Amino acid sequence: MNKDQLIAIVIFDIDGVIRDVGNSYRKALADTVEKFTAGGWRPTMEDLDNLKSEGIWNNDWEASQELTYRYFEALDKSREEIALNYESIVDYFQERYRGKNPELFDGYIAQEPLLVSNNYFQQLTKDQIGWGFFSGATRGSAEYILKQRLQLNNPILVAMEDAPSKPDPAGMFAAVSKIETIPANIPVLYLGDTVADMYTVVKAQEIKPGRNWIGVGILPPHVQISETRKADYAQKLMAAGAEIVLSNVEKLDLPMIKELI
């Protein structure tokens, strides 16, 4: 691909966009809250969506801690009184998600359905669309999906360890700079499934207004079980800054990209 002739750049979030995490990350999050509330509460998918809609809980370890604290606060106990050990939360979450042998990826991560095919990325390249990934997932987890499952060859990836958490757009800027080696200010589309993802695009526009930043909302599989939940979730993404909301990544093809830019 001749990077000098790119017509647009597409940056993808991973969780809920590239892979279905309803029975992996989200299940691990619910497991963790249930564990640290001593079985007192197991949050539902809607509870998790409500937390994510606040736009600042992109890190699921922090989200697990926050929901646990809120449970105890509802019982009139203070955070200081509970004093959760964050490292213990991370360790338990990772054991559920990555597995007891994390290098083998034998936890919930092994069960994640893919939401996109390798062919889709090949087509983007043919269409002169640059692409990469900016995700709050750990590098190990992200590379497992991108390199092993999707068979992508050294994809451009900015992961949890590489940049501040969304909605800070620094990671997206970093991904773009790896693709656009000669700055040309071509339009950038960011595909994400959360309010924080769309806030990231809004902040990018504020910081670098000379470029066209376009938020594309993706409906994660778990909200597509009913029309009411789909509509409610889509409305939240639009309110947070999405230009359009799609049911699947692969619906973003060349004609739609040209229309959006």
Side-chain angles (χ1 to χ4, degrees), residues 59-75:
N59 182 315
D60 284 340
W61 302 335
E62 294 175 357
S64 299
Q65 177 177 257
E66 179 65 19
L67 286 176
T68 303
Y69 272 134
R70 291 186 189 187
Y71 166 80
F72 284 112
E73 285 176 332
L75 300 178

Side-chain angles (χ1 to χ4, degrees), residues 4-53:
D4 296 338
Q5 297 176 348
L6 294 179
I7 63 170
I9 291 172
V10 180
I11 305 295
F12 299 87
D13 180 31
I14 294 176
D15 303 331
V17 175
I18 300 300
R19 59 181 171 190
D20 180 358
V21 295
N23 281 309
S24 58
Y25 264 123
R26 283 170 170 258
K27 190 175 179 182
L29 204 168
D31 286 355
T32 304
V33 175
E34 186 173 41
K35 164 77 172 175
F36 285 86
T37 59
W41 180 43
R42 182 178 182 85
T44 65
M45 281 288 194
E46 289 188 68
D47 292 327
L48 302 185
D49 284 342
N50 289 337
L51 182 75
K52 296 283 187 179
S53 72

Side-chain angles (χ1 to χ4, degrees), residues 7 55 67 124 137 163 167 193 199 247:
I7 63 170
L67 286 176
L124 287 181
D193 69 319
Y199 284 171
S247 61

